[in-house]
Amino acid sequence: MTPFENDGLQFQQEGDKTRVISGKLNFLFNSNPEKIIAAYNFFAACARDYFKPRWQSVRGANLNLQEFNEFTKESTLYWMYFYIINRMPVEIKNSDWEHPETRRKIQKIVELRFKRGSVEASQLCAHLMGLSQSEYVNWRKGDELYLNR
């Protein structure tokens, strides 16, 4: 099957599996492209709906639309893969969007635009994560200890 695109992702069927590529991300799903695309489209829309009010209400430094879509895309693919690899039904919940793994994806995309630890980065990360700035700083310190950075 010829590779095709959907929402900036490349899909390639490999036997009974589907490879999904987005930039440096590369996931191999144990399902056909139609099922993966349907699940992705549904959950990516959920991610965008979940984070859009926060993103649109930022006052000050913010992500552009492409950056916003990038972190929702990465988060959606991550959670789909997580559920599938753990042989669980793919049911991405709001708690997954608040999970440290999703927060790391927010932090990563924000810090590509604004210097790590800068006021702009801290304020934007906190806002997108639904935290106060002090809660974000405390979370970041704990996460850095956890990740040994």
Side-chain angles (χ1 to χ4, degrees), residues 119-138:
V119 171
E120 294 88 353
S122 294
Q123 287 176 343
L124 183 54
C125 282
H127 190 81
L128 293 174
M129 292 177 191
L131 303 172
S132 70
Q133 195 165 354
S134 63
E135 288 171 326
Y136 166 71
V137 169
N138 287 335

Side-chain angles (χ1 to χ4, degrees), residues 4 17 21 28 30-31 43-44 48 67 81 91 103 110:
F4 58 95
K17 297 177 173 49
I21 300 170
L28 185 62
N30 195 18
S31 191
F43 289 113
R48 290 180 185 120
E67 293 162 331
Y81 192 75
E91 296 176 3
R103 289 180 176 178
V110 167

Side-chain angles (χ1 to χ4, degrees), residues 12-101:
Q12 172 70 46
Q13 188 162 1
E14 297 181 7
D16 61 346
K17 297 177 173 49
T18 302
R19 184 167 305 279
V20 182
I21 300 170
S22 175
K24 294 180 182 179
L25 300 177
N26 189 328
F27 294 94
L28 185 62
F29 292 98
N30 195 18
S31 191
N32 66 50
E34 292 79 19
K35 287 182 181 178
I36 297 301
I37 289 170
Y40 171 79
N41 286 340
F42 177 79
F43 289 113
C46 291
R48 290 180 185 120
D49 289 346
Y50 187 82
F51 288 104
K52 195 175 204 175
R54 293 180 189 172
W55 175 63
Q56 289 180 328
S57 66
V58 171
R59 295 177 188 200
N62 200 355
L63 301 176
N64 63 35
L65 179 60
Q66 181 180 351
E67 293 162 331
F68 174 77
N69 286 335
E70 191 62 33
F71 99 75
T72 56
K73 187 184 310 182
E74 282 190 30
S75 297
T76 301
L77 287 173
Y78 171 84
W79 286 112
M80 286 176 59
Y81 192 75
F82 171 86
Y83 282 106
I84 290 170
I85 201 77
N86 287 295
R87 300 179 192 270
M88 299 164 62
V90 178
E91 296 176 3
I92 304 172
K93 300 172 279 311
N94 287 350
S95 58
D96 296 322
W97 304 134
E98 297 298 329
H99 189 277
E101 191 60 41

